[in-house]
Structures are given as structure tokens and as C-alpha cells.
Amino acid sequence: IKGSWVNRNAKLPRIGKKVLCRHCGEEYEYQGPHVKGKISDKFGCSGGYRNHEPNLVFKDSDLKFILAVQNAEEVLEKLKKDSIFLARTLRTMDYSLLIGVHKTPVPIPSDEESQEPDSKTLRATVVQTPVQFHIGIIDFLQAWTFKKKGERYIKAFLFGNDLQGISAQPPEQYLERFQQTMEYLIVSPKNRSLSVILPYTGGLHERK
């Protein structure tokens, strides 16, 4: 996650490429977004889904959730210090926040008394749910070079992209947008009903 929004969608793999399923972890041959992989034609997805789906690295425009964490203020403070260190000491930009999601099968307790004998409703017995998130800043060594300045000019003025939405920004502007995105993304449980534990092992500003 960079905080930009121009061309910030995950790219699907090419047809025929061997990929891992995001649900069960099995390798299969990708045949398109609405077509089963060859392995799943016979067995299906062992993760409880009908079809395999490729394990993609999602980007800003794919983000559909907000993280409510127990130590939100501490996490935000560390992210702010790290990004300030990158922008004002190293004079770098174009870094990203990587969020790793660990899922696990969670059984659903049966409630036979509430189920009518002739009901046509099928009850789920197991669901895949996120139980832990891991985050960290990556790709933080990109300097604001002449090449990046040229990229900014080409994307904004030749291709007509939103100047504020492209990833190529001077360090101070990139810092401001990155921090605004982090403040929107990470909130305390009192502001959201969902609460998860999200460990943060950053501390770039503390490293020598």
C-alpha cells in the first residue's frame, strides 16, 4: 500500500501459469478468473470453495477493509516515525506497507434446535477467517532521482493521470499521503467493531 490510486490494482496471472490457490495453497494451472484450474476440475478447492483462486498481492485500489487493532496508536506512531525517517533522513520515496494475512479454518458450532427439519438451508460447518495480520514497510531505498521526476512528468502531463494519485511523488509529498492513508487504514477497536492483534516489527528509525 502506497497511498496512490493510479494503476494500483492487482494484476491477474497469465493464462496457463502455475499458481497457488489463495484458499487451500494447492498449485494449479490458472485458466482465467471464471474458469476452474485443471486440478480443481476433478477435486475442487480443498479450502471449502468451489473453485481455486490465485493468491495475488493486492494493492491500494483493491483494499476493501479497515484494520481495527488493539494497539492502533502504537502501530501508527511507529509507522509515522519510520516514514519520517525515510522521507527526511534518507530522502527516499515509493515505499509500501506490506500486509500479510494469516487465515485458518474456524469451525462453526452447530445449533440443531434452531434448524427446522424440513429446512432447505445449508449450514456452513467451517469458514476460513483471518486470525492474524503482519505488517511492515518494504521497498524503502528508492531515492527521488531524475528518473523518478521524469516518470512523474510523463504519467501526469503526457498520459493525463491524476498528479496526486501517481506513486512518483517528492519525499515530503509522498510522506504526507502515506501517513494519511495509514491513519485511515488503522483504527482503534473503539472506532470499529472488529478487533484483531496486529504485530508490528518495524522500527526503521531505531536501526543503525
Side-chain angles (χ1 to χ4, degrees), residues 43-166:
F43 302 106
C45 175
S46 61
Y49 294 81
R50 183 176 181 181
N51 295 337
H52 287 306
E53 292 183 2
N55 190 18
L56 304 176
V57 177
F58 294 109
K59 299 182 180 180
D60 296 71
S61 298
D62 304 308
L63 193 63
K64 304 297 182 184
F65 61 89
I66 294 176
L67 299 177
V69 300
Q70 294 176 350
N71 56 338
E73 292 78 10
E74 179 184 351
V75 172
L76 282 173
E77 184 64 23
K78 288 186 177 181
L79 287 174
K80 286 181 178 180
K81 288 182 178 180
D82 282 354
S83 55
I84 289 173
F85 172 74
L86 294 175
R88 298 176 181 172
T89 302
L90 299 185
R91 300 296 297 169
T92 59
M93 41 74 66
D94 214 16
Y95 40 86
S96 303
L97 183 75
L98 181 66
I99 304 177
V101 182
H102 175 67
K103 293 183 177 181
T104 188
V106 176
I108 300 177
S110 60
D111 187 2
E112 298 180 358
E113 294 182 358
S114 63
Q115 183 79 10
E116 295 294 333
D118 58 344
S119 174
K120 297 181 180 179
T121 302
L122 296 178
R123 297 179 59 86
T125 57
V126 177
V127 295
Q128 289 276 347
T129 183
V131 295
Q132 198 170 45
F133 295 86
H134 301 271
I135 70 173
I137 296 178
I138 62 171
D139 299 335
F140 49 79
L141 296 180
Q142 176 60 59
W144 180 238
T145 60
F146 181 79
K147 181 179 179 180
K148 281 295 179 179
K149 294 176 182 179
E151 176 188 333
R152 176 179 171 84
Y153 177 85
I154 291 173
K155 288 184 176 180
F157 299 106
L158 295 186
F159 291 108
N161 290 314
D162 185 350
L163 184 62
Q164 303 302 320
I166 59 179

